[in-house]
Amino acid sequence: MTESAALDPATDADATAAAVGAAAERLHTALVENRPCAPIRDLIGDRDITIAYAVQQQLNAHRLAAGAVVVGRKIGATSVAVQQQLGVDTPDLGVLFDDMEYDVSAPVDISGLLQPKVEGEIAFVLGADLVEGDLDLAQVADAVAYAVAAIEVCDSRIADWDISFADTVADNASAGGYVLGTERRTLADGFVPKDAAMTMTVTGQDDVVGTGAASLGDPLVALQWLARQARDLGDPLRAGQVVLSGALGPMRPAAPGADVTLSIDGLGSVALSFGTKES
């Protein structure tokens, strides 16, 4: 992975703005044309997270302009292994749009994805805004209306998943889509996210196992991180939004014809299948 020097917005604002625009346009073209692109770290460097989020905001502005509606957020890079791979010590966040939720009654059209991978996660649906106050764990937990099992479909616009941290941040945290389970549990019911055991099976691959503790030690800690980061970025979490709180185990590639089943203790099961390119 080749490193490039990060841009300095303090000394070259015009060049930085041009690079941000060029990076967002490269990713947007890949999204619209459904064709992977080269990494964008040649334009913005591989570590400047402020600039990477500026690219993400421009990329997502294209979707908003086309009529997409924000319905939530996702957290990425919550495991130590992924952070070590990317050379960072912090997660990242992306935006969920209304056209990203899949209908489990029909196979996902894999032709609309580039290089999908799946993760098993706990999703939180918020019952209150997370805007004011300290956003401590108690406040964050109180804002959760309920938790459900979720399969996230990650998808990178960067060819061959050749990503640095800045690449994936800029690319909306490699968001693709998701499906939610139907069994809802409140934290008041005694559901403890960090202790929940997960098993995910994908056709032709070894099972993935893990627990809630794989996501920053506790998915509620991940949610707290997200709430604070989203507020710092000027777009805080709101009641009704869905939050994918981070993988409970490794990603698995999703091939045409694959079936995915996720089970999380206390949250039941959810399944997703991928259609072949001919179906």
Side-chain angles (χ1 to χ4, degrees):
M1 189 179 293
T2 302
E3 293 191 6
S4 57
L7 293 161
D8 184 352
T11 59
D12 201 346
D14 289 342
T16 298
V20 166
E25 190 59 34
R26 183 183 295 178
L27 291 169
H28 177 61
T29 298
L31 180 66
V32 171
E33 296 182 354
N34 202 34
R35 182 170 57 191
C37 65
I40 50 88
R41 56 184 177 270
D42 64 316
L43 297 170
I44 67 167
D46 63 356
R47 296 293 177 91
D48 194 316
I49 305 309
T50 299
I51 294 176
Y53 276 117
V55 175
Q56 182 188 123
Q57 289 170 344
Q58 284 200 21
L59 173 65
N60 289 339
H62 285 293
R63 300 198 66 174
L64 292 170
V69 176
V70 175
V71 296
R73 306 294 175 80
K74 63 153 288 183
I75 311 170
T78 53
S79 76
V80 172
V82 172
Q83 289 181 6
Q84 289 176 341
Q85 175 189 357
L86 297 176
V88 297
D89 60 0
T90 184
D92 65 351
L93 69 86
V95 174
L96 301 178
F97 293 100
D98 56 341
D99 60 354
M100 288 183 173
E101 184 172 4
Y102 294 122
D103 181 354
V104 296
S105 65
V108 172
D109 180 6
I110 204 166
S111 67
L113 298 165
L114 293 173
Q115 41 197 351
K117 299 182 180 184
V118 291
E119 294 179 335
E121 307 194 11
I122 294 171
F124 297 115
V125 176
L126 300 181
D129 294 347
L130 287 170
V131 179
E132 306 294 339
D134 295 334
L135 300 182
D136 59 18
L137 276 177
Q139 180 184 355
V140 167
D142 285 345
V144 173
Y146 58 87
V148 294
I151 298 171
E152 180 182 359
V153 180
C154 302
D155 196 22
S156 179
R157 269 54 64 178
I158 306 296
D160 302 319
W161 281 89
D162 179 17
I163 56 174
S164 69
F165 192 55
D167 288 307
T168 189
V169 168
D171 187 24
N172 197 24
S174 302
Y178 65 95
V179 61
L180 301 180
T182 58
E183 187 168 335
R184 301 176 176 183
R185 292 286 302 277
T186 69
L187 302 183
D189 289 336
F191 177 67
V192 181
K194 68 182 179 64
D195 294 336
M198 177 272 292
T199 301
M200 184 177 71
T201 63
V202 183
T203 301
Q205 302 180 54
D206 293 336
D207 288 355
V208 176
V209 296
T211 68
S215 180
L216 292 186
D218 185 340
L220 289 174
V221 171
L223 177 59
Q224 179 192 37
W225 175 88
L226 174 64
R228 290 174 170 177
Q229 184 73 9
R231 186 172 67 178
D232 288 347
L233 290 170
D235 191 11
L237 300 181
R238 299 292 183 179
Q241 290 188 334
V242 176
V243 174
L244 302 180
S245 65
L248 308 189
M251 290 193 299
R252 290 286 188 263
D259 294 315
V260 183
T261 301
L262 172 72
S263 297
I264 298 179
D265 288 353
L267 298 180
S269 300
V270 61
L272 190 64
S273 61
F274 289 86
T276 63
K277 291 187 181 296
E278 293 77 24
S279 62

